[in-house]
Amino acid sequence: MANLKEIKLKIGSVKNTQKTTKAMKLVSSAKLTRTRQLSDQARSYAKKINEVLSEIANRVSKVQDGGNHNKAFIPNENPKTVDLVFVTADKGLCGGFNMTTIKKVSELAAQYESQGVTVRYRVAGRKGVDYFSFQGKELLQKVTDLSSAPDYDRASDFINEVVEDFKKGETDKVVLIYNGFLNMLTQEIRVRDLLPISLEDVEATEQETSMLEIEPDDDEEVLEELTGKYIDFNMYYSLIDSLAAEHSARMQAMEAATNNAKDRVNSLTVEYNKARQAAITTELIEIISGVEALK
């Protein structure tokens, strides 16, 4: 049986780990609350920009012989080059959060490559960078401190490189992948075609937005501006949504670790008590044997 001192040291070590995981859970809980508030505000903005974009795009389509000539809205059923833009966390200790995204990206890449499509990788998040770099994949873009601290301007700079390649014809399709927040207990992998834009993906409204007073000649210019804002904001929102999901996943992982530590402390305590009882029994036997020997 293990030495009493060794068991006691193990109990102390596990208790320290338990305190750490419990603290990390509380920190993630506080961060999740703040991130969800930001996410709710962003969602309201996204809804409005989607409504306006849908209206202007439909107005332009009616003028241009029933079809929108803006490249960002022209479907491409047979792309030759696809850019996979995906978001992972910068840190670990959040269960299978990162691997869920990585597996989905790998699955999509394999699917496109089997069709003879060239796949290019663009990643925000250290875990994604580390994984695909280790796999020997060339990363066209990589940033390692954006997913943990989403910033609109930096998100815009990141996605603008993608947009420029799309405009120049270097890529035919852009797919955005990230693990989003569904509820406190669940994260959901989200995949959407960022470019070309499908109006079916935009939250259109049946009624015209009466507040808009735009001259017909200005429609195309406004559409171009809104398209840029739409893409920028989708990238920014994916970072916020992913961060909320990350904090949620970390809360669950730390709660599970805390519970496991508690169970381990209990089992070690039982082992310690048994060892202590055995030691006392041995001492008593030795004392009684000594007394008997003196008779």
Side-chain angles (χ1 to χ4, degrees):
M1 188 169 288
N3 183 284
L4 285 173
K5 186 176 180 180
E6 291 177 358
I7 299 176
K8 199 168 184 178
L9 287 172
K10 287 181 181 180
I11 292 174
S13 177
V14 175
K15 282 184 176 180
N16 288 335
T17 301
Q18 184 180 15
K19 290 178 183 178
T20 301
T21 55
K22 187 174 182 180
M24 291 181 68
K25 177 191 172 184
L26 294 174
V27 170
S28 291
S29 177
K31 288 183 177 180
L32 175 60
T33 300
R34 292 196 298 270
T35 307
R36 286 188 66 189
Q37 291 173 349
L38 183 60
S39 177
D40 291 340
Q41 295 170 0
R43 191 177 296 112
S44 299
Y45 179 85
K47 182 178 180 181
K48 181 55 63 178
I49 198 173
N50 284 1
E51 291 174 358
V52 178
L53 178 67
S54 176
E55 178 183 341
I56 299 299
N58 283 318
R59 281 166 56 172
V60 171
S61 295
K62 291 176 183 178
V63 173
Q64 297 177 342
D65 302 324
N68 195 325
H69 296 170
N70 189 316
K71 184 180 179 182
F73 293 88
I74 301 174
N76 189 334
E77 301 298 333
N78 299 298
K80 294 181 180 179
T81 303
V82 172
D83 281 1
L84 299 182
V85 181
F86 56 100
V87 181
T88 64
D90 284 327
K91 301 176 182 178
L93 298 178
C94 45
F97 173 79
N98 290 306
M99 281 309 301
T100 300
T101 305
I102 288 170
K103 285 180 180 178
K104 188 62 180 179
V105 171
S106 300
E107 177 186 316
L108 285 173
Q111 179 181 333
Y112 280 119
E113 288 171 349
S114 67
Q115 299 169 2
V117 178
T118 300
V119 175
R120 307 194 304 178
Y121 300 86
R122 302 175 186 263
V123 54
R126 185 179 300 278
K127 291 300 177 180
V129 171
D130 290 347
Y131 178 86
F132 285 99
S133 295
F134 182 77
Q135 294 295 319
K137 302 293 185 181
E138 180 183 355
L139 302 179
L140 199 60
Q141 268 182 281
K142 55 184 178 181
V143 59
T144 58
D145 56 351
L146 181 59
S147 60
S148 55
D151 177 81
Y152 183 85
D153 291 334
R154 294 186 61 210
S156 178
D157 290 340
F158 178 83
I159 200 64
N160 279 346
E161 290 190 33
V162 185
V163 175
E164 287 303 313
D165 278 1
F166 180 80
K167 288 180 178 179
K168 291 185 290 186
E170 294 181 13
T171 183
D172 304 311
K173 185 176 183 180
V174 179
V175 182
L176 180 62
I177 309 108
Y178 65 95
N179 205 352
F181 179 86
L182 190 61
N183 55 52
M184 295 292 288
L185 298 176
T186 312
Q187 299 81 48
E188 181 180 62
I189 196 72
R190 289 170 184 168
V191 180
R192 63 179 307 174
D193 294 344
L194 196 57
L195 284 169
I197 298 172
S198 171
L199 289 178
E200 295 179 359
D201 295 334
V202 179
E203 296 178 12
T205 54
E206 294 294 330
Q207 299 179 349
E208 294 285 319
T209 308
S210 57
M211 292 184 295
L212 284 177
E213 295 183 2
I214 304 172
E215 295 296 329
D217 293 340
D218 296 332
D219 277 352
E220 290 189 47
E221 184 179 344
V222 173
L223 179 62
E224 186 73 22
E225 182 69 21
L226 282 175
T227 300
K229 294 292 183 185
Y230 172 82
I231 294 171
D232 289 351
F233 198 81
N234 269 276
M235 184 67 225
Y236 176 59
Y237 181 76
S238 71
L239 293 166
I240 297 174
D241 199 21
S242 177
L243 184 60
E246 177 192 342
H247 290 319
S248 172
R250 185 168 289 111
M251 279 178 58
Q252 295 177 64
M254 292 302 100
E255 182 177 10
T258 301
N259 292 335
N260 289 338
K262 182 179 179 181
D263 293 341
R264 182 58 177 159
V265 167
N266 290 338
S267 64
L268 284 171
T269 300
V270 171
E271 185 179 344
Y272 177 83
N273 290 336
K274 286 182 178 179
R276 184 168 175 271
Q277 185 177 13
I280 293 172
T281 302
T282 300
E283 289 179 7
L284 287 174
I285 292 174
E286 290 176 353
I287 291 171
I288 293 172
S289 297
V291 172
E292 291 295 327
L294 293 174
K295 290 183 179 179

